[in-house]
Amino acid sequence: MSGQKKEIIRLERESVIPIIKPKLIMTLANLIEHNSDRTEFLKLCKRIEYTIRAWYLLQFEDLMQLYSLFDPVHGAQKLEQQNLSPEEIDVLEQNFLMYLFQVMDKSNFKITSDEEIDVALSGQYLLNLPIRVDESKLDKKLLKKYFAEHPHPNLPDFSDKYIIFRRGIGIDRTTDYFFMEKVDMIIARFWGYLLRLTRLEKLLKRSSRQHKEDPKKQDDNNSEACADDLVVERIRLENMELSVRNLLGKITIEEPTFDRIIVVYRRASAKLRTERGIYVKHFKNIPMADMEIVLPEKKNPGLTPMDWVKFLVSAIVGLVAVFGSVEMPKGDLWVIFAILSTVIGYCAKTYFTFQQNLATYQNLITQSMYDKQLDSGKGTLLHLCDDVIQQEVKEVMISFFVLMEQGKATRQDLDERCEELIREEFHESCNFDVDDAVQKLETLGIIARDSIGRYYCIGLKRANEIIGTTTEELVLKARQGGVTPTP
């Protein structure tokens, strides 16, 4: 596929630190010269984690208690036991959403915007069918009320029915022959050639340009402003170079993925029963172009309007050709047979292509349920709560280490130094959240500011004394004391 035009997607670099905590701690500790300081640093890391975990414990308990009332499986029974009025239930579900969105933000999940979805769905990967959501099966009051009370910028059009959070970027590659897809690609290029030949392409482009500007082109025009963005490449069949080797051999297509996706929604209420269950579903490694597989309450796909147009046009052209051949003075039955065979063959090809795409769609849905769905409901919330703690701890550890090893720094300098440390020692990159880290360090009382506003940390031993012995350490000592045999 050499020689094809590259398709580049720009995405905002995220704040998540992609390094597991044990590796981060040991790498930083090994950079400390003196053994005594290394021991004190490891002790400080444990105390920081225990303290941050305790800070979030009450908030997470409130989140889990609230979700138990809106769990789609057992929530209805618990709500009945509480004997709450509809107004009180409305308040509780809005409180749950508030806690949930706070945890999402702390876990560095972002709400997908219309522009991001347009970029993601501007191409095709393994899913070649138009997937639509059955909006009649989704509640439109819950999220609409929440966003009315908690405004959020760049909300997608469907935010009143469901919301999609995303975090992390990866790459998915598939190698295959893609025979049917290549045939479709050749037909699409021939169709484009006919549009250009008849000058209909300019008319279509003009109407689409007036409707909406391509977000990818906006990114290209603002390349200087997006210098820090994450750049990923999309390799599609549509951009494949036409050659015998590519058409007859295996090729590899490549699509950026959302590393994690969480979908939140509520089903529409039945006439005789009010639906209060809130669904929270967690997926991994979802190709951007196939993001439709995570949508809730999907309609069964059918033939597209273009497919029906192809059927009708083929039938009309075939009938005109047949009647024209019959009316000729010397109508040749073989010509009529050839025309009918061509028309029937084309219609059969369109139908069987749809059937193949439908089978692929069903396989993708099955895969998303068994392989790509990580968890749902309470399991997703527990994962998010632990994720918040891990990210917060890593941010605080890196910030304190940089101040300890490199001395005083302004907030901007600290941000740059932390990102540089992550690049040099771990060969990773992220948009470090220095504001959150500094806030936690100041709350812990182990950093301060000088007369001109620069941050500096106190000594390791003194930092451990300020935090003090944690409950977890007391429990560990008691456990060890219980195991140790008495003399």
Side-chain angles (χ1 to χ4, degrees), residues 123-137:
Q124 292 181 341
Y125 186 54
L126 300 179
L127 182 61
N128 296 311
L129 287 175
I131 307 302
R132 297 289 182 267
V133 173
D134 189 350
E135 297 184 357
S136 64
K137 295 183 179 180

Side-chain angles (χ1 to χ4, degrees), residues 124-298:
Q124 292 181 341
Y125 186 54
L126 300 179
L127 182 61
N128 296 311
L129 287 175
I131 307 302
R132 297 289 182 267
V133 173
D134 189 350
E135 297 184 357
S136 64
K137 295 183 179 180
L138 293 174
D139 175 77
K140 300 179 180 63
K141 299 178 181 178
L142 175 69
L143 292 170
K144 183 178 181 179
K145 182 178 180 180
Y146 175 80
F147 287 121
E149 298 177 358
H150 304 84
H152 193 284
N154 300 323
L155 284 174
D157 293 336
F158 52 76
S159 60
D160 60 329
K161 296 173 282 292
Y162 58 95
I163 204 73
I164 300 176
F165 295 89
R166 58 95 176 167
R167 190 188 73 185
I169 303 297
I171 294 293
D172 187 81
R173 297 180 178 88
T174 302
T175 301
D176 205 340
Y177 288 102
F178 300 109
F179 285 128
M180 296 299 294
E181 290 82 357
K182 291 174 183 176
V183 172
D184 287 339
M185 181 266 296
I186 294 174
I187 293 175
R189 291 192 182 184
F190 179 71
W191 180 259
Y193 170 76
L194 291 179
L195 289 178
R196 288 192 299 271
L197 194 64
T198 57
R199 297 184 178 180
L200 291 174
E201 185 183 35
K202 293 182 179 180
L203 180 61
L204 295 174
K205 280 187 176 181
R206 189 179 300 115
S207 61
S208 63
R209 189 181 300 116
Q210 292 175 353
H211 176 67
K212 194 167 190 178
E213 189 172 355
D214 190 352
K216 289 182 290 184
K217 292 182 180 178
Q218 292 178 357
D219 288 342
D220 292 339
N221 294 334
N222 297 321
S223 58
E224 294 182 0
C226 304
D228 294 332
D229 286 356
L230 181 64
V231 178
V232 290
E233 183 181 358
R234 167 184 279 170
I235 302 177
R236 300 191 291 158
L237 281 170
E238 289 85 344
N239 300 328
M240 183 182 70
E241 179 185 1
L242 289 179
S243 66
V244 176
R245 180 180 179 182
N246 285 338
L247 292 176
L248 299 182
K250 285 187 175 182
I251 62 171
T252 299
I253 57 177
E254 181 177 293
E255 178 69 18
T257 63
F258 289 124
D259 187 56
R260 294 291 184 270
I261 281 183
I262 292 179
V263 184
V264 180
Y265 66 97
R266 168 183 281 171
R267 289 178 177 171
S269 300
K271 293 183 179 179
L272 301 178
R273 181 183 178 184
T274 301
E275 179 66 43
R276 291 287 187 176
I278 299 176
Y279 291 82
V280 183
K281 295 190 176 183
H282 193 185
F283 301 88
K284 66 174 182 178
N285 302 329
I286 300 298
M288 292 183 184
D290 294 345
M291 197 170 63
E292 299 99 324
I293 63 178
V294 306
L295 297 178
E297 302 298 333
K298 294 179 284 293

Side-chain angles (χ1 to χ4, degrees), residues 384-395:
L384 284 172
C385 293
D386 182 69
D387 206 31
V388 169
I389 294 171
Q390 299 300 317
Q391 288 297 318
E392 298 270 327
V393 169
K394 288 186 285 188
E395 289 171 357

